[in-house]
Amino acid sequence: MLSGKNILIGISGGIAAYKICELIRMFKRENANVRVICTPNALNFVTKLTLQNLSRNEVGIEEFEIPDFKPEHISYADEADIMIIAPATANTIGKIANGICDNLLTSVVSAFKKTVLIAPAMNCNMWQNEIIQENIQKLRKYGYEIIEPETGFLACGYQGVGRLCGLEKIFDRAVDILNAEKKLAGKKIVITAGGTIEDIDPVRYISNYSSGKMGIALADTAFNQGADVVLISTVDVERGYRVVKVKSALDMQKAVEAEFVNSDCVIMAAAVADYRPKNISARKMKKTSDDSISIELVKNPDILQKICAEKTVQTIVGFCAESENLIENAKEKIQKKGCDFLVANDISRKDIGFSSDYNEVTIFDKNGNMLKIDRSDKYKIAERIFEVIYGQRADNTNNRELCAAESR
Ligand code: CTP
C-alpha cells in the first residue's frame, strides 16, 4: 500500500514514545521507507537501537552531524512525503508553535513543506492548559494537522484527556493523505458548517445541535485534495484554508453569495435555522407575570434554494436531516431546492449525526438515484461524497455509482 513512500516520524520525550515502535512496524509492513528522528529526551523512553532495527534506518538525534554536504535537517525534510510527530509533548508543541529550532526534530519540522501530523500526548491538566491550547490553535492555523489525544487512564495516574490517540488513527490518516491525489486541484469549493445562531436578546438565542464536524471534514478533505477551500462556519475553526466565521442565517447568506459566483462547488452542510425572531431585543428581556410569552418568528431565506436558482456552472450539494421517511422526504427536497445532490442523514439515530464523529448517509441525485454510504468516520464519508460528485472512482463511472431508488 505504501511502496515508494517516505515517512518521517519524529518522537519527543513522553512515555507514549514506546508505542511508536509498533507504529513504525505498521508502516514497514506496508513497505514504506521509515526514518525516525528523536529528541534527546525521547531516548529516555525508547532506545535508539530499537528504533533503528524497526525502521532499518539510522535514527537522527544530533543536529550537526552532516554526513554529506547537505545540512541534515534539510535533507530529512526534502526526502519525506509526510512527517508525523508522535508523541508530541507540550514542550515540542510549544517550540514548533513559536518557531524555535533547538534540536534536529524542531529544525526539520520548520523546514518541512508537506503535511505534518501532530499527535499530542501529555497529562490531562497540561493538555487543558490555556497556553498549550493556544499553541495547538496556532499550529492548526498554520496548517499542521492535530490528531487529538484521547480520554483514558494516563501513565501519570490521572484519568482524563491526554492519552496518545490510537495508532490506527495516525496510520489511517497518514495513508489517506499519502494516497490522496490532488484530485480537486484548481477547483474552488465553498462549504458551510455548523448551526446558525438567531438572537432573541443579548443573552438568548435560537440554535440547533449541529457541531459543524461534517462540514469541517468536507473542508479538510477538499483542502487535502488540492482544492481552494472557503469554509463558512458558525464554529471556530483554525486551518490552513480560508474560514469565514458567521453567526446567523442572514450572515451566512451574505457570505455564501459573496463566494458562490466564482466557485465550482457549494456544499451546504450547515444546519440553517428556518426562522429567526422578528425583533431582536436590545436589552435582556425581563420575566413577566404572565405564564407564557410568545416570540414572533419570521422565515429566514432559503440559502440553498436561492443559489440553486442563480447557479450557472456550479455543482450544488445540499444536506438534509430527517427523523422519519428519509427517502421520500429527501427525494421531495432535492426537487424543491433544485440542487444537484442531496446528502441525507437520519437524525433519529443516536450513534451517528449531530456531534458524533460518525455518520451514515444516503446521497441522492436529482434523477432520483441514490447511494447509501454505511456508517463510517465523517472523513471517510467526506471522501465518498467527493468521489460521487466528481466521479473520481477508479473506473470513472461517475454518477453511475448512484442507482435508481427502485432497484434497491
Ligand atoms: N438550508 C438553507 N437555508 C435555510 C434552510 C436550509 O440553505 N433557510 C439548507 C441546509 O443547509 C441544507 C438544506 O437546506 O443543505 C436542507 O436543510 P433542512 O433543514 O433539511 O431542510 P429545510 O428546507 O429546512 O426543511 P425542513 O426543516 O422542513 O425539513
Side-chain angles (χ1 to χ4, degrees):
M1 188 156 64
L2 296 174
S3 288
K5 301 288 185 197
N6 294 301
I7 321 276
L8 179 58
I9 300 183
I11 307 177
S12 59
I15 180 67
Y18 80 91
K19 297 183 179 174
I20 307 310
C21 297
E22 181 54 27
L23 184 66
I24 296 169
R25 284 170 59 79
M26 289 162 84
F27 284 116
K28 290 300 287 181
R29 264 184 231 124
E30 298 298 334
N31 282 331
N33 177 35
V34 179
R35 289 188 81 184
V36 178
I37 298 174
C38 286
T39 62
N41 277 337
L43 296 181
N44 291 322
F45 299 96
V46 64
T47 74
K48 186 173 175 182
L49 190 64
T50 309
L51 299 170
Q52 217 148 265
N53 275 311
L54 294 173
S55 67
R56 310 190 74 80
N57 268 318
E58 272 290 318
V59 171
I61 298 152
E62 299 299 335
E63 187 163 10
F64 297 108
E65 282 168 5
I66 304 179
D68 52 37
F69 84 105
K70 213 171 175 194
E72 202 171 30
H73 63 287
I74 304 298
S75 65
Y76 271 109
D78 286 351
E79 192 186 278
D81 299 302
I82 191 168
M83 182 168 185
I84 299 165
I85 304 178
T89 57
N91 189 38
T92 291
I93 287 168
K95 287 182 195 174
I96 301 170
N98 290 285
I100 295 169
C101 307
D102 67 345
N103 59 33
L104 183 61
L105 192 156
T106 49
S107 301
V108 170
V109 73
S110 71
F112 202 79
K113 303 290 277 179
K114 293 164 219 156
T115 304
V116 180
L117 294 181
I118 298 184
M122 63 195 75
N123 163 270
C124 50
N125 293 335
M126 289 173 81
W127 175 247
Q128 276 151 12
N129 179 303
E130 281 181 35
I131 301 171
I132 293 169
Q133 282 304 314
E134 213 174 291
N135 286 335
I136 292 282
Q137 295 313 329
K138 198 166 165 192
L139 291 177
R140 283 202 167 107
K141 182 169 141 204
Y142 287 114
Y144 294 92
E145 197 174 315
I146 311 292
I147 308 186
E148 299 234 345
E150 292 175 354
T151 306
F153 180 62
L154 308 177
C156 52
Y158 278 75
Q159 178 83 23
V161 186
R163 197 170 68 178
L164 183 76
C165 67
L167 297 180
E168 303 72 34
K169 219 168 183 175
I170 305 175
F171 178 80
D172 289 352
R173 190 69 197 119
V175 171
D176 283 351
I177 291 166
L178 288 166
N179 290 338
E181 299 149 46
K182 301 292 176 199
K183 299 177 221 172
L184 300 176
K187 294 199 190 307
K188 176 177 172 181
I189 302 194
V190 179
I191 296 160
T192 64
T196 65
I197 295 168
E198 312 296 335
D199 280 342
I200 297 171
D201 69 10
V203 294
R204 303 179 181 96
Y205 58 82
I206 299 173
S207 192
N208 56 66
Y209 290 116
S210 172
S211 62
K213 285 183 179 173
M214 190 66 239
I216 295 167
L218 283 159
D220 287 351
T221 303
F223 183 66
N224 283 332
Q225 294 188 10
D228 169 17
V229 173
V230 181
L231 178 69
I232 299 171
S233 170
T234 62
V235 292
D236 286 315
V237 181
E238 299 264 17
R239 292 290 199 275
Y241 47 78
R242 193 146 63 87
V243 179
V244 181
K245 176 86 191 286
V246 293
K247 189 173 172 191
S248 65
L250 293 180
D251 293 343
M252 185 171 276
Q253 181 188 26
K254 216 186 273 171
V256 169
E257 286 186 346
E259 300 296 340
F260 160 71
V261 184
N262 65 353
S263 68
D264 296 281
C265 176
V266 179
I267 306 182
M268 288 289 303
V272 183
D274 290 329
Y275 297 91
R276 66 179 185 280
K278 185 173 180 190
N279 300 306
I280 302 174
S281 168
R283 297 209 185 98
K284 185 184 170 208
M285 286 166 64
K286 298 300 281 179
K287 189 159 58 183
T288 67
S289 53
D290 296 339
D291 283 342
S292 66
I293 61 160
S294 301
I295 298 171
E296 192 180 349
L297 301 179
V298 290
K299 212 176 212 163
N300 269 326
D302 192 314
I303 308 170
L304 179 62
Q305 198 163 0
K306 203 152 177 290
I307 58 171
C308 287
E310 291 165 8
K311 88 177 196 119
T312 50
V313 294
Q314 297 85 351
T315 301
I316 302 188
V317 184
F319 264 70
C320 78
E322 303 294 342
S323 52
E324 55 194 349
N325 306 328
L326 184 130
I327 294 179
E328 297 72 28
N329 289 345
K331 288 175 101 178
E332 200 184 307
K333 210 169 264 184
I334 195 169
Q335 295 308 332
K336 191 174 96 193
K337 305 256 185 184
C339 49
D340 299 288
F341 297 96
L342 190 71
V343 181
N345 57 13
D346 177 354
I347 54 164
S348 65
R349 292 208 13 209
K350 290 281 165 277
D351 56 335
I352 53 168
F354 285 149
S355 302
S356 163
D357 288 333
Y358 294 85
N359 211 348
E360 182 180 291
V361 302
T362 306
I363 307 178
F364 294 82
D365 71 9
K366 52 187 169 193
N367 301 320
N369 299 319
M370 57 187 263
L371 174 73
K372 180 162 179 277
I373 300 181
D374 290 336
R375 181 180 187 275
S376 29
D377 185 275
K378 284 184 175 171
Y379 280 85
K380 284 265 172 286
I381 301 267
E383 270 174 31
R384 294 291 285 123
I385 290 172
F386 284 116
E387 281 174 357
V388 169
I389 66 181
Y390 282 113
Q392 297 159 336
R393 294 302 264 184
D395 57 357
N396 217 15
T397 47
N398 200 358
N399 303 325
R400 272 178 278 148
E401 259 208 280
L402 277 73
C403 300
E406 293 68 35
S407 68
R408 299 199 156 247

